[in-house]
Amino acid sequence: MLQAKIDSVVKCMTSNNDMSNIQSIQTEHRFKLVEFWNIKEGSKVLEIGCGQGDTTAVLAYTVGENGFVHGIDNGSRDYGSPSTLGEAADHLQNSSLGKQIKMDFEVDVLSPQFNFPTKAFDYIVLSHCSWYLSSTDELNDILKKIKKWGKKLCFAEWDTRISEIEQYPHLLSILIQAQYESFKQNSESNIRTLFTPNDLKAITGSAGWSVIDEITISSPDLQDGKWEVYKTIEDIDIELSKINDMPAKFKGLIQSEMKMLEESIKTNGIKPLSIFAFVAE
């Protein structure tokens, strides 16, 4: 039954047969999230940080023809690869799921001009997007603003609490990126601010939400761990060269961590981190 759902969504997500296996794994993970969040058929959902629509498509499938998913993202339509956000959104909206989906890009949630009526949505979803934010304050401000728009908050992000040594390279690559990102004023990187599960719960509480359920989800076939590790290795020299005000001792620390990362890959291989998800109201 689940595989039939996955296959149905994947047909809407990709026009490249070479990507179908990757998309199937990503889609299966999103079904785990949506099942935990208990999204109901016929619901109205706002998804913040929709990206290329990996979670959007599963949400749309779940809410069905009588539901609606509005995905928004601050990225531009030409951001992303191998498909840009715009290309992925156009393909999805032209699929059989398109009639219950709207996707808007270059949206600043915190702009005074951007608003929705009170309780316009049954659920507000943030799925694997919080690390793209510039700071703790930005996440806190977003969670405060959106509280009046929806009844429940559904959240998911990578869980920094490793349970297997094979997850260590993924965590270390994230820590390395978060360290050099802290020196940047502007960025388009995947990881700009690192939040732990405890950070996320504290920020959510300070924004006026109450967490009512939480879970750690394992999706060991996800490719993201390897993607982040090899991106870190590929980008490190140019990233460090672009930062002029990094203390020499701090740069040396990161270079030592890179050696640890490369050694860990050889010794342990790479598995993705688990995922921390919660529901708040």
Side-chain angles (χ1 to χ4, degrees):
M1 183 64 177
L2 175 58
Q3 189 58 52
K5 293 180 180 180
I6 294 169
D7 292 343
S8 179
V9 170
V10 169
K11 287 179 182 177
C12 300
M13 286 293 297
T14 178
S15 57
N16 184 345
N17 290 333
D18 294 337
M19 296 290 291
S20 60
N21 183 56
I22 292 174
Q23 191 60 62
S24 292
I25 292 169
Q26 294 288 329
T27 299
E28 180 178 6
H29 169 60
R30 269 64 183 190
F31 270 111
K32 291 180 184 179
L33 293 177
V34 170
E35 180 180 9
F36 166 69
W37 292 329
N38 199 25
I39 305 289
K40 301 295 187 182
E41 185 176 356
S43 298
K44 293 181 179 179
V45 181
L46 174 65
E47 184 192 1
I48 297 173
C50 62
Q52 295 178 327
D54 290 300
T55 306
T56 315
V58 175
L59 288 167
Y61 181 94
T62 302
V63 301
E65 294 183 358
N66 295 321
F68 176 68
V69 179
H70 189 171
I72 59 175
D73 199 286
N74 65 356
S76 64
R77 285 180 57 86
D78 60 0
Y79 175 81
S81 66
S83 298
T84 66
L85 299 186
E87 290 168 343
D90 290 345
H91 189 83
L92 181 55
Q93 290 182 296
N94 287 324
S95 74
S96 60
L97 294 174
K99 55 185 172 295
Q100 58 246 39
I101 293 174
K102 180 180 181 182
M103 297 176 76
D104 291 322
F105 299 101
E106 297 186 79
V107 173
D108 179 5
V109 175
L110 296 177
S111 169
Q113 288 73 42
F114 186 78
N115 216 335
F116 290 106
T118 300
K119 297 294 185 285
F121 299 96
D122 300 299
Y123 306 92
I124 300 178
V125 171
L126 284 86
S127 175
H128 291 281
C129 66
S130 66
W131 288 1
Y132 284 83
L133 299 177
S134 62
S135 66
T136 297
D137 288 343
E138 184 179 13
L139 177 58
N140 186 69
D141 290 344
I142 289 172
L143 294 182
K144 280 184 179 178
K145 181 172 181 178
I146 67 176
K147 192 172 190 310
K148 63 179 180 293
W149 298 343
K151 301 171 185 176
K152 288 188 176 180
L153 172 66
C154 303
F155 203 104
E157 192 52 89
W158 298 105
D159 193 332
T160 52
R161 301 167 296 187
I162 64 172
S163 56
E164 301 178 67
I165 192 62
E166 292 86 355
Q167 295 174 323
Y168 177 62
H170 188 190
L171 176 62
L172 187 53
S173 70
I174 288 164
L175 290 171
I176 291 168
Q177 290 184 57
Q179 286 170 346
Y180 65 67
E181 284 294 322
S182 66
F183 287 86
K184 296 182 182 180
Q185 296 299 316
N186 298 292
S187 178
E188 291 188 350
S189 298
N190 293 348
I191 299 162
R192 304 173 199 179
T193 307
L194 176 65
F195 298 108
T196 69
N198 284 336
D199 293 332
L200 292 170
K201 288 193 289 185
I203 295 166
T204 300
S206 70
W209 297 88
S210 297
V211 174
I212 59 173
D213 198 8
E214 63 181 77
I215 194 173
T216 296
I217 294 174
S218 176
S219 291
D221 293 329
L222 285 171
Q223 306 90 345
D224 302 68
K226 291 181 179 179
W227 291 342
E228 291 299 345
V229 166
Y230 291 116
K231 173 179 167 48
T232 303
I233 293 171
E234 181 179 348
D235 293 353
I236 189 63
D237 289 338
I238 190 168
E239 289 289 355
L240 293 182
S241 71
K242 291 189 297 186
I243 302 172
N244 297 320
D245 57 345
M246 181 181 290
K249 190 172 183 179
F250 197 92
K251 183 176 181 179
L253 170 64
I254 291 179
Q255 289 169 333
S256 294
E257 290 172 333
M258 288 301 303
K259 293 175 184 176
M260 293 166 60
L261 177 61
E262 292 169 355
E263 181 62 29
S264 182
I265 295 168
K266 294 177 184 177
T267 305
N268 303 311
I270 306 169
K271 281 187 178 181
L273 294 170
S274 299
I275 297 86
F276 173 63
F278 66 81
V279 178
E281 60 182 19

